[in-house]
Amino acid sequence: DALCTRLRTEAFVTVDTEFMRERTYWPELCVVQLAGTGEVAVVDALAPGIDLAPLGALFADAAVEKVFHAARQDIEIFVLLFGDVPRPLFDTQVAAMVAGFGDQVGYDALVASLTGGHIDKAHRFSDWAARPLSPEQVTYAAADVTYLRGVYEKLRARLEKDGRLEWVAEEMAVLADP
């Protein structure tokens, strides 16, 4: 609750999830990663007794833009949990396409191109439902939303400069339809 209260003061929050889908029809949310301008959090969504309602309130707050990369599966999870799409929504994969990076640009390539950073994908296919999470898993999860801040800021500036931000808004309206 305290984390989400702090993040509701931000202009934007970067978001990612780690989930398991191999044994279930619906994705099982295991971890939610969140970052504001000065804070990064890796939330164990499987922690006994955890109340994710404050996260739902953050995602419903129209004053805070929610930034994802390749958001479709994340959106599915949050529609199942909270009954709606996080709004307003910004998907850097869609924005990268509009900015000229090509269709379905990989996140690691986008991070390298825009921030000079490197994403270690060694834990991409971890068992995110196993507890305890390893320190390496937590570091990996935090890096995704940490780099996403810079990717978002650079993409948004580029789109504004090129007069293409409205194009992205049109695509986000489609993506935000539950």
Side-chain angles (χ1 to χ4, degrees):
D1 186 45
L3 169 69
C4 290
T5 298
R6 289 190 306 275
L7 291 175
R8 288 179 75 176
T9 67
E10 301 275 356
F12 71 92
V13 173
T14 57
V15 184
D16 192 25
T17 64
E18 305 302 336
F19 57 90
M20 297 302 292
R21 194 175 202 137
E22 286 75 23
R23 297 178 293 269
T24 62
Y25 181 75
W26 300 109
E28 176 188 13
L29 179 61
C30 300
V31 176
V32 179
Q33 304 99 282
L34 303 161
T37 55
E39 181 171 20
V40 177
V42 177
V43 179
D44 182 354
L46 298 178
I50 192 164
D51 179 8
L52 294 176
L55 184 61
L58 170 65
F59 286 170
D61 189 334
V64 182
E65 189 161 41
K66 278 55 100 185
V67 179
F68 295 82
H69 182 81
R72 290 198 183 277
Q73 290 188 25
D74 299 313
I75 289 170
E76 177 185 14
I77 290 168
F78 296 127
V79 167
L80 288 169
L81 275 176
F82 305 123
D84 203 1
V85 175
R87 299 172 197 274
L89 178 68
F90 190 96
D91 186 329
T92 58
Q93 185 177 58
V94 172
M97 181 186 63
V98 173
F101 284 88
D103 291 349
Q104 305 246 333
V105 64
Y107 182 60
D108 45 351
L110 198 56
V111 165
S113 176
L114 292 174
T115 72
H118 170 72
I119 297 286
D120 177 5
K121 290 297 185 182
H123 295 284
R124 175 181 274 168
F125 298 109
S126 289
D127 181 353
W128 290 99
R131 293 297 179 270
L133 294 171
S134 72
E136 294 82 12
Q137 284 177 301
V138 173
T139 298
Y140 163 84
D144 274 352
V145 290
T146 301
Y147 283 117
L148 190 54
R149 293 184 299 207
V151 167
Y152 167 73
E153 291 171 328
K154 298 223 171 162
L155 270 178
R156 186 172 186 87
R158 183 172 176 165
L159 291 164
E160 285 175 352
K161 178 181 162 277
D162 294 344
R164 293 183 175 185
L165 201 52
E166 190 173 302
W167 299 1
V168 174
E170 291 173 17
E171 293 297 322
M172 290 307 105
V174 172
L175 191 57
D177 182 351

